[in-house]
Amino acid sequence: MATRRENEAQEPSLVDENVLQRFQDRFSEANCIYLSCLGTEDGLITKSFGDETAKSYFQEQIGQAAYMSLLAKAKSSIVENLVEEELPQKHIKLCAVSTRIEGRTQIIWIVNAVIRDLAEEGCELPDGVVSTTEERFYRSMQFLEYLSKTLFVIKMDEQIAQEALQQSAQSEADIERQLHRSETMTQIVNMLESENGFGKIVDDILKMVCNCLDLSRAALVRENVDGQTLDMICEYAKEREWYRISEYQKVSKEDAPFFNGKSYMISSDSMIPESFARIFKADHITAAIYHPIVVNERAIMYLCFFEQEKERIWSADDVKFINDVKRIIQSILTKRITKNSLASSYASLEAILENVGCGIYVLDQEKKAVLYTNQKFKELFANSISNGKINQILFSDREMGLKNYFEEVFFAEEDRWLDVHKSQIDWVDGRKVSLCTIYDITDKKVYQKKIESQANNDFLTGLFNRMRCEQDLDRFIRLAELNGTEGALLYIDLDDFKHINDGLGHQYGDVLLKAISHSLQKIEGVENTCYRMGGDEFIVIIPDNSDGRLEAVTKSVQSIFSQPWFLKGEDYYCTMSMGIACFPTDANSVQELIRKADMALFSAKKEGKNRIEFYNDKDAVFAHRRLDMEKNMRKATLDECKEFEVYYQPIVDITKPGDPCCGAEALVRWNSSEMGFVSPVDFIPLAEYLGLINPIGDYVLREAAKRCRYWNEMGHPEYKVNVNLSVVQLLQNDIVKKVKAVLDETRVNPQNLTLEVTESLAINDIDRMKTILAQIKSLGVRVALDDFGTGYSSLNHIRELPIDILKIDRCFIEHIADDDFSDAFVKMVSELAATLGLFICTEGVEATEQYEMVKNMHIKYIQGYYFGKPMRIEEFESKYL
């Protein structure tokens, strides 16, 4: 038999024999039981606990057959982690505890124990054999299961982290770095109380920041009284030859392109304008951050940080740390100017901590005193504070025993899950205190529980959804090929369903969809293979048509739609058209089969509706244009989407003087090398149908985010970019991960990225959309509800959705000047938005009269041809950058 080390040479193992041996011996000794550890394939991993007397005793009492029976049960059980072998001796326990990670059994603990409260009178144990109680034994089993799994989860996490952190320190180093930054920030905050001169204080701060962030050089530049020249008044550099303070005097502002009131963050991989490039080359700078020091709404100084030794990509932590330093220096300067007292230092610190975006509390654990809590903390622990239980939480035995930790904790009193990070720092007055930061992760935890139940079913009808349909269909096709049978896919679309919605209202349309769904599920033979694909489209799969079931099912479907539906107190008729494709005869792949059934459905619609059509080759003739477009679109997406170009339509803020541009909406255009310029109206629906909207959408999102970061770094930190998300993109399980990946890759400020979803999509699956949009917003991204007014959302739904902006559809703006309804609708929506704390953006503003009317309605954003059509990036930046 291969040894464990030979197996480990094949693939990484979670099993560490030494750790398991130490764990086993200590756990056995502490709980008065006898453990040994087995691998699923490698046999005994550890040496059994206990001396030879104990081992002989259990071997005599139990026997080899019982051990083999127990091991067989443990290996065959896929549900229970704890199995027990019944023995004639009631006071002897023989159990197996399996440790499973991601469904795979890693080890099996064999447990022997003597239960003294079950032993018969007169039963004597050999010297040295320990015993326990039955209650303690089973508690020990539960604890063993938990600790063993935790041990392996930690080991698995270590293996995953190892690859990403090959040349970095272990997690302790990350904590040290965080502690070092916290301690440095505390020292800088303490400068608020320093009696030293302003120049000496800034020199010390610059040195601390450079040492903490490992920067080459930092400086403070001041505007002179003449308003035309600059002096460097403070500087720190790692190397003496890098100092420039003596020569940087009376420098013209024209030679300092950063001194204009804006913040600049330029990494080594940033696009750099020529004016900055000259400075970087002359001073051997590879990366820089410039922050204005503002007094009385005017930038009088600039705080500058440089990297000269190596390339540097500014991280979010770097930027936040430097920004906090700037605010502290600005507070110190303001304090010196206004001659505030020592109390203003604490006020400045409080102002910083009140705006960090998480709950914070500071404890003096020695004196059991709460030194500080911010407003976010009070919101998170409102119930505990009102019930007088907060001190029990903050000064519990567990809290007092831990000085540094980072973990997820559930607080029952608040019914919340919180991420808690506790560390030791020096407080403003120099004493050692505990600083705790808290983030609310309840939504993430709730989502994890709901995601599985929502993954497979349509929220309205209860039928399986598109994703489940594709999974099942792929399985049925493979079975048909394997068994030499034939199945069928029935693609059903309701005829003129829009008339029901428009005539009776969408609530009755929903009633009809649910009634149809229930009727389809009652058809014999397809009870579990009915699916709602979205809107008024359904699919029924017949896995095996060898018994002629297809004819019976189609007749049953026709019978359902031959009867009236009782809606709103009256009978209404709704017919259907059906396209049928057989598998594997017509196609042997999921997408191809659905596409051909869709072609047959198109033929049924074309022939007058209320009929059934089977797929045949003639359908391909009608789809020639679409197939040609599909072929070229697939080719274009495989070529890194080079044929697609992102256009930008400006969005202006009409609440500010001069109606300044505040960003743009990113819109995709396709200039096909084979077909020429293709209208978005034609290719976007096809891209969504084919699933190609995912790579196209990813390309647009990534390009728009890159461009927005460039705008922000080039003097327009307020510029935002809007990107549309299609229904296909939003229904992808990894949409949140994709958005996060783009944020990480481009390092754009998340608050400057707005993702637009259409109203009809958001309301069609309100619970799922609330979850997805909430996760997206948790990344810092803004969410806009597009085409508002064209769907059928209730005001309550709008209130529930985690959105920031309502975009009123252009159809209301088009007639706002001569249609009382449009005018009233826009006014009503603007008042609604103000109540809900949302912004309004109107689309389609093209005329002066429309602009004037919208401006008088207290609407913030306007988008339309009045200010600019969608344009290439070169034209947009020449006008607005």
Side-chain angles (χ1 to χ4, degrees), residues 422-435:
K422 182 178 181 181
S423 58
Q424 299 295 300
I425 66 169
D426 293 328
W427 191 230
V428 176
D429 56 7
R431 56 179 154 172
K432 296 289 184 181
V433 297
S434 294
L435 171 68

Side-chain angles (χ1 to χ4, degrees), residues 372-549:
Y372 173 78
T373 59
N374 67 356
Q375 184 60 36
K376 187 68 175 179
F377 171 86
K378 296 171 184 175
E379 294 172 3
L380 293 174
F381 287 92
N383 294 334
S384 300
I385 294 173
S386 62
N387 295 336
K389 298 181 179 180
I390 190 63
N391 282 346
Q392 297 177 24
I393 296 174
L394 300 185
F395 298 108
S396 66
D397 292 340
R398 178 182 180 279
E399 286 293 317
M400 295 298 286
L402 297 174
K403 291 188 176 182
N404 297 284
Y405 68 84
F406 182 72
E407 62 186 14
E408 296 178 353
V409 183
F410 178 73
F411 291 90
E413 190 73 23
E414 308 300 330
D415 193 26
R416 296 179 190 269
W417 279 94
L418 301 175
D419 260 344
V420 182
H421 183 197
K422 182 178 181 181
S423 58
Q424 299 295 300
I425 66 169
D426 293 328
W427 191 230
V428 176
D429 56 7
R431 56 179 154 172
K432 296 289 184 181
V433 297
S434 294
L435 171 68
C436 295
T437 57
I438 304 170
Y439 292 88
D440 189 348
I441 58 169
T442 305
D443 290 342
K444 182 186 80 171
K445 287 291 187 180
V446 172
Y447 175 75
Q448 289 172 346
K449 292 181 180 179
K450 292 179 63 178
I451 189 63
E452 288 191 7
S453 63
Q454 295 178 346
N456 292 321
N457 293 85
D458 174 60
F459 84 100
L460 177 64
T461 64
L463 294 179
F464 291 135
N465 58 18
R466 173 184 289 271
M467 182 175 71
R468 178 62 180 271
C469 174
E470 294 178 355
Q471 293 172 350
D472 289 351
L473 185 56
D474 181 68
R475 178 164 51 88
F476 292 143
I477 292 173
R478 301 285 81 81
L479 287 173
E481 290 179 323
L482 181 65
N483 299 326
T485 58
E486 184 179 70
L489 182 144
L490 286 57
Y491 206 138
I492 301 169
D493 183 80
L494 306 187
D495 296 329
D496 301 319
F497 178 69
K498 184 175 184 296
H499 296 170
I500 297 289
N501 274 339
D502 294 344
L504 301 181
H506 289 276
Q507 65 271 33
Y508 288 99
D510 291 347
V511 171
L512 176 58
L513 292 174
K514 288 190 279 190
I516 292 172
S517 300
H518 294 157
S519 298
L520 290 175
Q521 285 182 300
K522 293 179 181 178
I523 299 176
E524 184 179 357
V526 294
E527 298 90 339
N528 297 315
T529 55
C530 299
Y531 310 84
R532 184 187 179 206
M533 301 298 282
D536 59 348
E537 295 182 348
F538 300 86
I539 278 182
V540 176
I541 300 177
I542 301 175
D544 186 357
N545 188 36
S546 58
D547 57 356
R549 187 177 300 172

Side-chain angles (χ1 to χ4, degrees), residues 655-752:
T655 64
K656 295 182 179 179
D659 299 337
C661 175
C662 60
E665 179 176 357
L667 301 164
V668 66
R669 297 294 184 261
W670 182 23
N671 189 6
S672 171
S673 60
E674 299 292 334
M675 304 176 66
F677 190 85
V678 184
S679 170
V681 176
D682 293 331
F683 79 81
I684 289 180
L686 180 60
E688 291 179 335
Y689 175 78
L690 297 174
L692 297 178
I693 197 66
N694 287 317
I696 296 172
D698 294 345
Y699 169 77
V700 174
L701 179 60
R702 187 166 55 253
E703 290 300 311
K706 285 181 181 177
R707 190 52 59 177
C708 183
R709 177 193 164 189
Y710 175 69
W711 299 339
N712 297 156
E713 292 178 345
M714 293 299 107
H716 292 279
E718 79 283 3
Y719 272 21
K720 298 173 172 58
V721 68
N722 291 26
V723 180
N724 291 281
L725 289 184
S726 75
V727 58
V728 178
Q729 289 177 278
L730 271 173
L731 291 179
Q732 296 296 308
N733 291 333
D734 61 350
I735 180 61
V736 179
K737 290 183 179 178
K738 284 186 175 181
V739 174
K740 185 178 185 304
V742 169
L743 293 176
D744 293 342
E745 177 186 345
T746 62
R747 297 190 306 283
V748 67
N749 182 353
Q751 295 181 352
N752 287 346

